[in-house]
């Protein structure tokens, strides 16, 4: 079983819609959770971090964490074509400073 | 504008040659990570350092790869000898380390071994 799992996609949403990206993790002791955005040919860019159960909002982005169910999600409201990218979920499970990354979900926002 | 920098951005070399990639972490960050990304394997952690000390290099092929941090402003990843299967994008990332697990990535080195 992979430690951090994401649906590879592609997830296609129309412009202006809400995009919902999901991530599940296997280690119940995981403490910190991050979302990275990676445009094609570019490096991963940190866009959200979440540490406590519930929602955390930053502009059009909302991260949601449910530790009991071991999932973390990223909602993108009013999706724009510029949001088209691969979104990587990363989890800190303790032990050093390592993050475990999922394989990413490709998002396509269509006009 | 604090950023991780990496050189070179692109490298094409022949099999058997030595390749050296360099990274300058964000000033003040005390953790440095080397990753490799391919379409097939995704993002793989090769090695990482905290306060310049290597903490984990279990992701690295030991016989040909080596990672060092000669000082706080420079991390290096060497491949000797290089092989075609080493073709990938190599990313360096740095993080504050203390009570924070965020990582900030550099632009990457795209390596092609022919």
């Amino acid at each position: 079983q992979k430690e951090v799992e994401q649906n590879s996609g592609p997830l296609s949403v129309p412009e202006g819609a809400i995009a919902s990206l999901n991530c599940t993790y296997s280690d119940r002791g995981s403490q910190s959770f991050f979302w990275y955005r990676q445009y094609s040919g570019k490096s991963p860019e940190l866009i959200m971090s979440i540490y406590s159960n519930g929602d955390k909002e930053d502009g059009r982005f909302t991260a949601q964490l449910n530790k009991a169910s071991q999932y973390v999600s990223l909602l993108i409201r009013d999706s724009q074509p510029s949001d088209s990218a691969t979104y990587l979920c990363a989890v800190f499970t303790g032990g050093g400073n390592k993050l475990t990354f999922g394989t990413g979900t490709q998002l396509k926002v269509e006009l | 504008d604090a950023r991780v920098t990496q050189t070179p951005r692109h490298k094409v070399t022949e099999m058997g040659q030595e390749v050296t990639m360099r990274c300058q972490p964000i000033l003040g960050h005390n953790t440095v990570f080397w990753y490799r990304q391919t379409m097939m394997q995704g993002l793989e952690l090769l090695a990482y350092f905290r306060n310049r000390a290597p903490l984990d290099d279990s992701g690295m092929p030991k016989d040909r790869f080596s990672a060092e941090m000669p000082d706080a402003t420079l991390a290096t990843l060497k491949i000797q000898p290089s092989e075609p299967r080493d073709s990938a994008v190599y990313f360096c990332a740095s993080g504050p380390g203390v009570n924070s697990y965020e990582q900030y990535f550099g632009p990457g080195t795209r390596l092609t071994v022919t």
Side-chain angles (χ1 to χ4, degrees):
Chain A
Q1 182 186 6
K2 292 183 180 177
E3 295 181 47
V4 178
E5 294 207 42
Q6 298 180 254
N7 187 319
S8 62
L11 172 66
S12 294
V13 299
E15 184 179 7
I18 295 175
S20 177
L21 304 161
N22 299 312
C23 170
T24 58
Y25 58 93
S26 60
D27 190 331
R28 190 170 286 278
S30 298
Q31 303 169 22
S32 305
F33 307 84
F34 306 91
W35 283 100
Y36 286 80
R37 177 177 62 199
Q38 187 173 23
Y39 292 114
S40 180
K42 302 294 185 182
S43 58
E45 174 191 9
L46 178 64
I47 57 172
M48 289 288 285
S49 56
I50 187 166
Y51 307 100
S52 306
N53 278 330
D55 295 358
K56 179 182 178 182
E57 187 174 316
D58 184 1
R60 296 186 296 111
F61 298 99
T62 299
Q64 298 176 318
L65 175 60
N66 184 323
K67 290 186 178 181
S69 300
Q70 295 177 235
Y71 82 79
V72 57
S73 60
L74 179 70
L75 301 179
I76 306 174
R77 290 182 300 280
D78 189 23
S79 295
Q80 302 296 309
S82 59
D83 295 324
S84 298
T86 295
Y87 290 80
L88 300 165
C89 172
V91 177
F92 173 70
T93 57
N97 294 81
K98 292 189 293 186
L99 296 180
T100 301
F101 283 83
T103 53
T105 298
Q106 184 183 6
L107 173 66
K108 293 184 176 180
V109 181
E110 298 169 335
L111 295 171
Chain B
D1 186 19
R3 297 184 187 185
V4 176
T5 59
Q6 290 185 247
T7 57
R9 295 292 306 277
H10 302 273
K11 177 72 175 179
V12 180
T13 191
E14 293 183 348
M15 182 174 62
Q17 297 298 304
E18 177 178 302
V19 175
T20 298
M21 291 170 269
R22 294 177 173 80
C23 167
Q24 181 173 11
I26 293 172
L27 187 64
H29 282 187
N30 69 358
T31 55
V32 175
F33 306 82
W34 282 106
Y35 291 92
R36 175 170 63 184
Q37 188 174 44
T38 61
M39 289 294 292
M40 294 299 295
Q41 299 295 329
L43 201 59
E44 301 174 272
L45 178 66
L46 298 175
Y48 81 99
F49 298 78
R50 185 165 61 207
N51 295 322
R52 296 177 53 203
L55 289 191
D56 187 349
D57 62 0
S58 59
M60 234 167 38
K62 300 290 192 306
D63 56 337
R64 299 184 301 109
F65 285 58
S66 62
E68 296 179 345
M69 262 198 93
D71 62 60
T73 64
L74 177 64
T76 62
L77 179 67
K78 290 185 181 180
I79 307 174
Q80 168 64 19
S82 57
E83 298 181 1
R85 59 178 168 156
D86 300 328
S87 297
V89 181
Y90 291 80
F91 290 110
C92 174
S94 71
V98 179
N99 297 322
S100 172
Y101 305 104
E102 299 176 346
Q103 295 180 20
Y104 298 88
F105 283 74
T109 294
R110 183 173 296 275
L111 174 65
T112 302
V113 183
T114 61

